[in-house]
Structures are given as structure tokens and as C-alpha cells.
Amino acid sequence: MTTSAAPPPSPTNGASKSDAAPSAGSSRRGAPARARRRADTRFVLVCLLPALALFAVFMIVPTMNVFRMSLYTWSGFSPDMRFVGLDNFRHLLDDKQFVRAFQNTVALLVVVTVVTMGMGLFLAAIMTRQRLRGRNLYRFVLYIPNVLSVVVIAAIFSAVYDQENGLLNGTLRLLSLDGLQQVWLGNQKVVLYSVAIAMVWQSLGYYMVLYMSSMASIPEELYEASALDGASPARQFFALTLPLIWENLRTTLTFFIMSAVNLSFVLVRAMTGGGPDGSSEVLLSYMYKQAYTNSSYGYGMAIGVVIFAFSFLVSLLVSRATRREPLQF
Amino acid sequence: MRRSLVLTGAAVTVLGLLAGCSAGGSGSDSGKTILKVAALEGGYGRDMYTRVIKEYEASHPDIDVQLQISKSIEDEITPNMKAGRYPDVVVLGQGRKAALTETLIKDKALEDLTPVLKEKVPGEDTTVGDKLTEGIVGNLNTDPYRTDQTYLMPMYYAPTGLFHNKGLFEEKGWKVPGTWDEMFALGDTAKKQGIPLFTYPTAGYLDSYFFALLADVGGERFYTDVMTYKKDVWKSANARKALDITTKLLGYAAPATVGYANEQDFTKNQQLVLDNKALFMPNGTWIVGEMADAPRADGFQWGLTPLPAATTGGKRYITTSVESVWVPSAAQQKDAAKEFIAYLYSDKAAKIFAESNAIQPIESIASSLSAENAEFYKVYEDPKVAALVGGFASTAPVEGVDIKATLFDTANSIISGDTTEDKWQSALNEASEKLRQAGS
């Protein structure tokens, strides 16, 4: 819940534009204008101060601490912290469980991002363009999972995945597809995808609503014109809709990657606890286990640094790879 | 004018925020000594603590006991502890996810409680040490550094073992197996009738199983060697035998076991035993209360047996789960804390605890057991059965190594066929060796 409630960061950087405009040609009126401007700046700074103070205390300082602690061996309580340099990171390379958690995180990121984005776009396009009857109801139903608590989601999926009388295996039996039945949370090759399905289910509605709102703002004339030219709905989607909401898509993509890292942790913790035998462990759940259960706080923080660097890097790459000339309508 | 108002407003907001971060001062002006007690609200409930504290305060008017009790007590006291405000007495055992007790043991941040053993129980003539049942202190659970100093006082104890439906055994005319050969023979018989021999709630519940099995197979000496990470102990014949037995037993596991062995679904595995869909599961006496409202087969009756003996007529150990009470060395009221702990072993307190089924390891307890509990605690009366307390010895933390996870969680992979016994054995040896090096 924590991640999806926040609005996506604004893609534009409008702050720098605004103060450039009035500075030109103010030489004659000189001193009073400058004094007013300085007073304005001071006023803005003072207004920003509370927010900046909070940001520093609750974001910057803890983040710096994570980086600092990753260089120590520390249990979390004792006064004696031992500086070990990069030893914690060296251990990470030999730690098979860590490597496995890393692979799982990457797999979840790729699968969940692609599926959620793809389905979100598809559903949004259908609902806005095809004027489906009862689309408000669909939107409502699809959005509901987003407001549920993770514990509730875990309980729902425990009922869906139940190997004996669960919804999924029951349906498969009904369709005489007994061979497809699985122990969804017990089979080590399947369990990660079972978690992925729950993640998609949870976040699909949110992104669908986001895309719907940006698609709704595309002028209708464009579609009418292209229809006159004989464009099929599929062609319209790829040639019109997609390019026109591209900036919105980029923003949500970056945002989604970061939230998926968090969501995978809470869902794994509630649904499987990383099991069976570590096969659904993700980076954050492994970090928790090391920092607390195994009393290796410094090592846990080293994993935290890796997560930070990883999500930062992926977001950066995605942002670079999807850069296009913005289209306007 | 307006601007200065805004400025003042902003300044007040910032100050307010900062003030909100600092904690309110402690208000102890009544002249009484304030004793802060933190306890885990486990299966026994919270009522018994308030009653014991009430009794204590009545006989000690100069002490004000402040109880903090919660199902996740670690989350509540840890932030304060990091800020230097420690509780004086903590009732919290090992084996919890947050591992607070283990962390403080590794940090050597616990107060030496050996003097409490020599102290007289308030209002009584005997010392605490004399009142405790034999063998309950002086093991790795209470003396984690393998010295003769007790840092964790044993608070409640409960036998753990194989729980089963006594009614079903009577109905079918089966005998509860005394050796592993009989066990597997029963497994084959039951299989023909469609009942799997074994299940476990989650792999973590195998702790009681493994500790007893290791002692059964190789004796207490071997058990201690494993718990203290003796070099190459997992390569020994005894270790192999224990893993052989386990692998064979896991072959008889109910097919549903692994799929349900997580925190969300573990009660479904426990339900298998209630529904006669599995014969045995490792568990503790709390299972009775935990599954009290669950549906069950006709004639169901809880039974508890120690693990089968490794050889005919061999000694059988029963892992005894012991919850502890301890004092952080950073506590402020250490003397008052020690006296309070001594009081917890008084007859009055023990009676109140026993009414909530929290059984303390003191000599006179047998008379205050309820009928159902008496049945469970009877396992200790068999001369061939011995209590086993403890667990893996504490070492400095080793990054990425958790031998409990390696020993227990791998059972899931053995059942599902994702790993082999050989790989299990070598992983155990590797983890044990790393811990040995950290301990020495």
C-alpha cells in the first residue's frame, strides 16, 4: 500500500523555467525590484523549510546511514561496531542465497512489469475507446485490489491457490484439466510466478486507471480523422494512443519498478515467507532475515545498498531507453 | 506584517516537528521504584501477568511494576532499546523471527542471573535454585556461553514431540511405535489405508524433531557436538544415520505438506492430523489451545509421544521447549529486577501461571496441572525418556549463514525432490564449519 498511494513524480522539471523569465530587462527599476525578489526567495525558502527538514531527517539521514552501516559488522544493538570496509559486499558474492534472491527479484520485476503494463494498457484502451457497457463497474472491480491490505491479499490468494479445494485447482478439475493442477505455493518452480500473479492482480487496476485518464484527454478528432483514413483500432492504438501517452507511460514505468521491489517483499513475507526452502526469497526479505533474524545488521545494510543501487540503475536505464521526442496534441 | 506572521508560523511548525520527535520525559515522582517488565503475549494470554504483578505489588508496596505486553513485543521495545531505554525484565524465549533474545546473547548484553539461583524466593524458605527441577539450568539454553553462569532463567517449559490422534490408534488397533523400524512398518500399513505417516506445520517445527533425533542416535555427547559445531561432525556416521532416518521419514510425508508449510497455511497441515489425513506431526503442547475450535474426526483425542528410539531399548529424548526470562545488562533497576524474577518462582505465582497452562519447571508443579496437561507431562515419567533442553550454541553472527534454516527448511526440498540427502549433508557441514570458526 505504501508505494502505490503516492502520486507519480512529475516528469517535467518546471522549476528552472519559472525564475528565468522575469530576470530579463529589469535594469532601470533596479534596486526595489531586486529587494522584492530577494524577499520573495526568502519567503519561498522559509515555506519550504518544514518540508525540507522532514525530508532531511526521515529520508537523507537514514539513507546515508544505510551506506555507512554497510561498512560495519554490527548486531544492531551492541555499542561495539567493527569497521570491516567492503567485506560485507565481498561476502555477498559468495552467498548463494543472496544470488538466488537477486535472481528472483529480477525475474519478478521483469515478469510483473511487462504483464501489468501490457494488460493495463490493453484494458485501458478497450475501456476508453470501445465504450464498453458497464465499464465503470469493471474499473471499480479492477481497482479494488489496490486498496486492500497485503494481509488480505495473502489470505485471498491462500484460498485461490489451495492445492486441494482452492479456486484455481477446483476450476481446473471442473474443466477436466487435472494435469494442469499444481501445488501453487509448494512447487519450487512455480511458487515465484504464483507470487507474481498476486502482484499483478494487486497493481493492475491502479495503472489501468492512470492510463485511462491520460487516454481520455486525447482529442476525439484525431481518432475520427484516422478512422476516415481507414486505420483499424489496433493501428490507432499503436500510431495514436501509445505515442500520445508516452510521457505518462515512462513516468509510471520508473515508478512501477521501484514499487514492485517493495511490493514483492510484503507479499512474499505474507504469502510464503520466502519458502519453500528459500525458493521465493526476494532481496528485501533476505535483507530482513539477515539484518534481524541472523543478527547481521551490517550485512543486511550491504544488501540494502545493493537494492538501492539496483533500483536506481534500472530506473535510469529504463528512463534513458524510453526517451522520445515528446508529442503534443 | 503578514510576512512576519508567516515566518513565525513556519518557525513554530519546524519547532513543533522537532519537539514531536523527542520523547516525553519520564514522570516518576511518586517515590516508588518503577520496574519495567516486557513480556511476549503468547498462547498463555496476558491475564496471568497482570494477576501475578498485582500480587507482587501487594507484598512490595514500594515497587510500581509497569507491564508492557504484546504479541510482537520485540517491535515495541526495540526502538526504545536502541535509544537507550531498556526494560528491566523481559519474558521472551528464543526462536522468534525478530531474534531479539539471540541478538542480545550474541552481543553479551545480558545480565548474569546466577545470583538469583542462590536467592530465597520472596516469602518462602527455599532458594530459587533448589526449587527448579533438575537439569533445567546449566544447559546451552540458560548458560549460552558454556560457562557456569546462568543468563537466561527458565520460565515455562513444555514437552514437544510427535502429536497424533490417540483415538485413531485405538480404533485401528495400532500401537504407537517405539522404534524407527516399527514406525516405518506402521507407515506402510497406514499407506495401504490411504493415511500418510507424517506431516509438519512448517519446516521450522522440525527443531524439536531434530534435536531429539540427534540425541537418540548418538547420545547426549554427540548432540552437544552438533550444537557446538565440532569439526566435521556432520560427516560422522551418526549424522548420516540421522539424515537417513529423516529422508526416509520425509518419503512418507503427506503430499499436501510442502504447499501448506508457510505462515499463511500451516494450520491446514495441522488440520491433516485432526482429520486423520496424516498420523504424526512434530509440535508442542500449545497445539491443543491453538486448534481448540477446529473441526475434527470422531473420537479424536490428542496424544503425544517422544520420537521412536534409534535402537531397540535405546534411550529416547524429548525436546523440551523452554521460554526464558532475562535482564538486559543496560537495565536501570537490576536488583529490583532480580528480586521480581525470584518472585516469579513462588508458589503463589506458579499457581496463577499454571491456571493459564503456563507450566514452570519447579518441583511442586505436578499437583497444579490440569488433566489434559498432566497427560502430556507424563512423558517425563518414563525412565527410558529423558528431557533435552537447548539448541545451537551462540556464536558471533556469520553473514549469510543460518544453520537452523539449512537443517530445517531443506526438508521442504527433500520432499519435493529439489535436493538430495548428500547435498543437504555437505551444506550442513559447510554451515557448521563457518559457525565453528566464528565461535572459537
Side-chain angles (χ1 to χ4, degrees):
Chain A
M1 286 301 92
T2 49
T3 50
S4 48
S10 161
T12 57
N13 41 358
S16 55
K17 267 186 245 161
S18 57
D19 51 23
S23 68
S26 60
S27 56
R28 190 159 322 152
R29 278 179 291 154
R34 207 176 304 137
R36 185 161 357 115
R37 210 166 50 239
R38 202 177 302 139
D40 277 350
T41 319
R42 207 183 308 139
F43 177 70
V44 168
L45 278 180
V46 169
C47 288
L48 281 176
L49 205 61
L52 283 179
L54 281 180
F55 186 71
V57 171
F58 292 107
M59 293 295 291
I60 298 177
V61 174
T63 311
M64 298 305 286
N65 260 335
V66 169
F67 278 85
R68 192 170 61 89
M69 293 315 309
S70 69
L71 305 176
Y72 286 82
T73 286
W74 187 42
S75 67
F77 280 99
S78 67
D80 49 304
M81 307 194 306
R82 203 156 45 85
F83 183 80
V84 290
L86 294 175
D87 269 9
N88 283 331
F89 293 94
R90 219 164 293 143
H91 285 305
L92 278 180
L93 297 176
D94 305 331
D95 189 345
K96 284 183 211 141
Q97 281 287 345
F98 168 75
V99 175
R100 193 175 186 185
F102 205 145
Q103 289 169 337
N104 285 346
T105 307
V106 174
L108 273 184
L109 266 189
V110 173
V111 172
V112 174
T113 309
V114 169
V115 175
T116 312
M117 293 281 146
M119 281 176 71
L121 273 173
F122 178 71
L123 288 172
I126 287 194
M127 294 225 201
T128 37
R129 295 305 316 153
Q130 303 300 321
R131 307 255 164 245
L132 273 190
R133 186 186 290 230
R135 62 192 173 130
N136 276 337
L137 178 72
Y138 297 139
R139 190 170 58 182
F140 175 68
V141 168
L142 282 167
Y143 191 76
I144 280 188
N146 206 257
V147 294
L148 293 181
S149 111
V150 172
V151 181
V152 177
I153 294 173
I156 290 174
F157 274 88
S158 149
V160 171
Y161 288 141
D162 191 303
Q163 50 198 320
E164 274 166 19
N165 38 31
L167 192 65
L168 204 50
N169 277 356
T171 313
L172 288 173
R173 266 199 300 273
L174 195 72
L175 299 173
S176 306
L177 293 170
D178 293 35
L180 291 179
Q181 288 189 78
Q182 285 289 344
V183 185
W184 299 101
L185 295 178
N187 184 335
Q188 302 200 1
K189 292 176 191 72
V190 173
V191 62
L192 196 65
Y193 299 99
S194 306
V195 175
I197 292 173
M199 284 174 71
V200 170
W201 185 81
Q202 198 268 350
S203 41
L204 181 60
Y206 180 74
Y207 290 94
M208 188 193 71
V209 169
L210 276 186
Y211 296 142
M212 277 176 78
S213 69
S214 56
M215 283 179 193
S217 65
I218 300 176
E220 191 59 36
E221 304 92 80
L222 293 176
Y223 288 102
E224 283 166 10
S226 64
L228 286 177
D229 287 343
S232 65
R235 182 74 203 269
Q236 284 180 335
F237 176 75
F238 286 107
L240 265 179
T241 316
L242 214 49
L244 285 174
I245 64 161
W246 191 255
E247 280 305 305
N248 186 311
L249 199 68
R250 279 184 68 196
T251 317
T252 51
L253 196 59
T254 315
F255 177 57
F256 184 76
I257 287 169
M258 295 196 207
S259 76
V261 172
N262 284 329
L263 187 65
S264 63
F265 166 63
V266 278
L267 269 179
V268 160
R269 214 165 125 70
M271 281 173 70
T272 66
D277 198 14
S279 52
S280 64
E281 201 83 81
V282 290
L283 279 178
L284 275 172
S285 66
Y286 190 60
M287 165 179 144
Y288 180 90
K289 273 189 188 159
Q290 286 300 321
Y292 297 102
T293 314
N294 203 27
S295 316
S296 314
Y297 200 77
Y299 189 60
M301 291 308 106
I303 301 175
V305 169
V306 172
I307 299 170
F308 184 92
F310 172 71
S311 22
F312 196 81
L313 206 72
V314 172
S315 304
L316 193 75
L317 284 178
V318 165
S319 163
R320 279 281 154 81
T322 55
R323 183 171 291 168
R324 303 272 187 285
E325 195 64 34
L327 290 177
Q328 306 258 311
F329 43 76
Chain B
M1 184 64 199
R2 199 189 302 151
R3 187 154 291 170
S4 64
L5 266 179
V6 173
L7 283 177
T8 327
V12 168
T13 316
V14 171
L15 282 178
L17 285 170
L18 292 178
C21 297
S22 76
S26 56
S28 61
D29 17 80
S30 57
K32 282 185 176 181
T33 308
I34 292 182
L35 187 69
K36 285 182 276 181
V37 177
L40 171 74
E41 185 184 349
Y44 308 127
R46 60 164 66 204
D47 190 40
M48 58 182 197
Y49 288 106
T50 41
R51 284 173 62 200
V52 167
I53 286 170
K54 216 170 166 188
E55 290 277 342
Y56 184 72
E57 283 176 336
S59 55
H60 296 74
D62 54 328
I63 290 181
D64 176 15
V65 182
Q66 290 180 350
L67 174 69
Q68 193 178 10
I69 183 164
S70 156
K71 286 186 172 144
S72 52
I73 189 72
E74 299 96 333
D75 297 341
E76 291 181 20
I77 58 176
T78 308
N80 272 329
M81 287 166 74
K82 289 199 172 160
R85 288 186 293 273
Y86 282 76
D88 300 306
V89 176
V90 182
V91 189
L92 176 68
Q94 301 187 42
R96 302 258 307 158
K97 227 184 199 150
L100 178 61
T101 310
E102 284 93 330
T103 302
L104 291 182
I105 293 174
K106 286 174 187 170
D107 269 354
K108 312 221 154 130
L110 297 183
E111 178 73 4
D112 181 6
L113 295 181
T114 324
V116 177
L117 293 172
K118 298 192 188 85
E119 221 170 276
K120 273 197 178 141
V121 178
E124 291 172 27
D125 287 335
T126 41
T127 62
V128 174
D130 286 341
K131 236 181 149 177
L132 289 172
T133 38
E134 232 187 298
I136 201 78
V137 287
N139 49 58
L140 278 173
N141 190 60
T142 58
D143 305 9
Y145 309 121
R146 289 171 262 172
T147 54
D148 279 336
Q149 269 124 11
T150 300
Y151 288 83
L152 300 114
M153 289 290 286
M155 192 63 191
Y156 318 115
Y157 80 122
T160 63
L162 297 177
F163 278 75
H164 57 276
N165 177 5
K166 240 162 72 176
L168 180 71
F169 277 76
E170 280 164 20
E171 185 194 316
K172 302 262 182 196
W174 291 336
K175 212 174 114 256
V176 175
T179 64
W180 280 107
D181 290 336
E182 288 173 26
M183 183 79 162
F184 292 126
L186 175 66
D188 293 328
T189 318
K191 203 182 206 169
K192 280 179 202 137
Q193 306 200 18
I195 309 176
L197 179 68
F198 188 69
T199 188
Y200 49 77
T202 69
Y205 281 70
L206 289 173
D207 53 355
S208 65
Y209 163 86
F210 263 112
F211 295 158
L213 179 70
L214 290 166
D216 283 353
V217 166
E220 260 176 275
R221 185 71 187 278
F222 171 68
Y223 168 76
T224 312
D225 286 349
V226 174
M227 294 301 125
T228 54
Y229 322 107
K230 196 179 166 204
K231 194 169 168 55
D232 286 336
V233 71
W234 282 102
K235 285 187 181 162
S236 66
N238 278 332
R240 184 71 195 189
K241 191 175 169 194
L243 291 180
D244 280 344
I245 291 176
T246 309
T247 309
K248 192 166 178 192
L249 178 67
L250 293 175
Y252 285 91
T257 303
V258 179
Y260 288 149
N262 56 59
E263 262 161 67
Q264 189 72 236
D265 294 327
F266 71 96
T267 45
K268 293 181 185 166
N269 273 336
Q270 296 181 164
Q271 187 65 37
L272 292 178
V273 175
L274 285 163
D275 290 341
N276 289 340
K277 287 180 183 162
L279 280 187
F280 291 105
M281 68 169 163
N283 222 313
T285 48
W286 58 81
I287 182 76
V288 179
E290 192 178 3
M291 301 301 280
D293 300 326
R296 57 200 64 206
D298 288 339
F300 185 90
Q301 213 190 339
W302 283 114
L304 166 65
T305 173
L307 257 56
T311 48
T312 318
K315 204 168 183 184
R316 296 161 78 181
Y317 287 87
I318 191 143
T319 311
T320 300
S321 97
V322 179
E323 282 170 56
S324 329
V325 53
W326 42 268
V327 176
S329 33
Q332 281 189 339
Q333 305 289 348
K334 287 184 201 169
D335 291 331
K338 287 176 191 166
E339 203 193 327
F340 179 74
I341 289 178
Y343 180 79
L344 293 177
Y345 296 94
S346 67
D347 289 341
K348 249 187 198 162
K351 199 166 160 259
I352 296 174
F353 287 134
E355 279 168 23
S356 295
N357 286 328
I359 309 301
Q360 289 175 292
I362 52 182
E363 297 288 0
S364 57
I365 203 75
S367 57
S368 45
L369 290 177
S370 69
E372 194 163 44
N373 262 322
E375 187 70 29
F376 291 142
Y377 284 78
K378 226 165 60 185
V379 289
Y380 293 110
E381 286 166 19
D382 185 340
K384 285 246 183 267
V385 171
L388 186 71
V389 190
F392 283 101
S394 169
T395 68
V398 181
E399 288 77 14
V401 178
D402 182 357
I403 194 161
K404 284 193 212 161
T406 313
L407 182 55
F408 309 143
D409 289 354
T410 310
N412 284 328
S413 295
I414 293 282
I415 294 184
S416 62
D418 284 281
T419 192
T420 61
E421 191 187 341
D422 290 336
K423 281 190 196 152
W424 193 10
Q425 189 178 13
S426 60
L428 281 166
N429 205 52
E430 199 182 312
S432 181
E433 178 59 21
K434 282 186 185 157
L435 289 167
R436 185 185 70 81
Q437 286 169 2
S440 56

